[in-house]
Amino acid sequence: MIITTLILLFFSSLYPCYSSYRRMKQQYSESALALSISMSLYTLVLFIGVITRLINLGGVDSLAMQQISSVVKDINTFNILVSFLNLCLVGINIAMGLIIQKCKHPIIWCLSFIIALMSVVSVFATFVTGNNPLVNFFLECCGIMAYFAWVLDLTYKEFCVIGNIYLQAGLCLMASFMPLLLCVRKQRISVMSVFCLINTLIHSLLFFIISIHYWMPLEKGFDLCYRELNQLAAYTGTTYVFVNIVIFVIMFIGDLILNSVIYRLSRLYITK
């Protein structure tokens, strides 16, 4: 059952992938290109996951079992939970495909939909777990990391570094290129194009610094990040959970929105 629902999840991911590609072909823009690349990467990850799980005959290998044994003792319960999660993600893929087709600003709407859905779940989970919604939201993020780690046959620590550090930094870097590519495509050299160039250079420098700082075996990179986040939490008088959400959710989405605003300002400036 688990491998069947995973294959179904992969095929459902083709819908938002195709929708983003079709939108880009119908009306090209740098934001449409970024969305298409992001959806293609998402589909590619699921494709690799399907192949990985098929090689393992859809089962749970010893590495994955070590990661989930502290949470789920019964392998049948694990299969049911993951299969249910796969079906939930199928629904999310369909919703994202519709958003990309129908909405004027699909990137913002897709992000808003996912964050709103996770927020609602975290609030209702309070009645079950007894935790506050912020902790539940953090646990949801951890669950997503653990899920994709299992799909790709990685450890939780390895995928956290790939997903939270390299992937998020890479997406922010890609978003910073959108307004710059617009200026290059329109062949306009102006104050705005110089500002866009500076913005891209800053993001490139930050990406380089982050990559060098965590350029080590992934699990050691996770341990380093974990220590630094705890130190930051102690310095600011907050908690590890709060610092995580601020950096990897709020600042990440905020940077994407900032680059989107710069892109739209660039379009307005160029069309004057």
Side-chain angles (χ1 to χ4, degrees):
M1 181 172 65
I2 193 171
I3 192 64
T4 302
T5 55
L6 183 59
I7 292 174
L8 180 61
L9 173 61
F10 163 69
F11 280 110
S12 71
S13 71
L14 295 173
Y15 179 42
C17 183
Y18 172 73
S19 297
S20 60
Y21 173 77
R22 183 180 177 185
R23 187 185 184 101
M24 181 184 67
K25 294 292 288 185
Q26 288 177 342
Q27 188 174 5
Y28 176 82
S29 67
E30 285 70 23
S31 58
L33 174 63
L35 178 62
S36 182
I37 292 174
S38 300
M39 289 295 102
S40 298
L41 287 174
Y42 170 59
T43 303
L44 178 62
V45 167
L46 289 178
F47 176 74
I48 295 173
V50 168
I51 299 301
T52 303
R53 290 295 108 195
L54 283 173
I55 293 174
N56 291 324
L57 300 179
V60 181
D61 50 35
S62 58
L63 176 62
M65 198 62 225
Q66 291 174 9
Q67 298 176 67
I68 66 174
S69 60
S70 60
V71 180
V72 180
K73 303 299 182 181
D74 184 5
I75 189 63
N76 292 324
T77 303
F78 172 78
N79 287 334
I80 293 172
L81 288 174
V82 174
S83 298
F84 176 74
L85 178 59
N86 287 338
L87 293 176
C88 291
L89 291 175
V90 168
I92 292 175
N93 285 340
I94 294 173
M96 286 198 300
L98 291 172
I99 289 172
I100 292 170
Q101 280 189 345
K102 304 295 184 182
C103 295
K104 187 176 180 181
H105 306 298
I107 296 178
I108 295 176
W109 279 107
C110 281
L111 286 173
S112 300
F113 167 71
I114 293 172
I115 296 299
L117 182 62
M118 292 180 63
S119 300
V120 170
V121 172
S122 66
V123 170
F124 279 98
T126 302
F127 299 103
V128 178
T129 63
N131 299 323
N132 66 63
L134 189 67
V135 173
N136 288 333
F137 189 92
F138 172 74
L139 293 176
E140 285 181 68
C141 295
C142 293
I144 293 172
M145 294 292 108
Y147 169 79
F148 280 103
W150 171 80
V151 167
L152 297 173
D153 201 21
L154 299 169
T155 66
Y156 172 78
K157 289 184 177 182
E158 287 172 340
F159 189 79
C160 278
V161 174
I162 293 172
N164 283 339
I165 297 178
Y166 294 122
L167 181 59
Q168 286 195 358
L171 288 175
C172 289
L173 177 60
M174 181 177 67
S176 73
F177 270 95
M178 288 194 305
L180 180 62
L181 290 176
L182 174 65
C183 295
V184 172
R185 179 164 63 91
K186 296 296 184 179
Q187 298 181 345
R188 292 286 299 271
I189 299 177
S190 60
V191 174
M192 181 57 73
S193 62
V194 173
F195 176 78
C196 293
L197 175 61
I198 294 173
N199 177 54
T200 302
L201 289 175
I202 291 174
H203 277 80
S204 300
L205 178 61
L206 289 174
F207 182 81
F208 176 76
I209 293 173
I210 290 171
S211 299
I212 294 298
H213 186 61
Y214 296 103
W215 190 258
M216 57 182 69
L218 293 175
E219 296 214 1
K220 289 187 178 179
F222 177 91
D223 294 336
L224 174 61
C225 183
Y226 179 78
R227 288 197 303 270
E228 291 174 342
L229 291 175
N230 274 301
Q231 290 170 0
L232 183 59
Y235 179 77
T236 56
T238 56
T239 63
Y240 173 77
V241 171
F242 180 80
V243 170
N244 254 279
I245 292 177
V246 168
I247 293 176
F248 296 116
V249 178
I250 297 175
M251 290 182 64
F252 169 63
I253 294 177
D255 188 77
L256 294 180
I257 293 174
L258 175 62
N259 281 296
S260 179
V261 170
I262 294 174
Y263 177 76
R264 299 195 181 284
L265 290 175
S266 300
R267 288 184 64 177
L268 290 173
Y269 189 87
I270 289 174
T271 55
K272 276 187 178 181

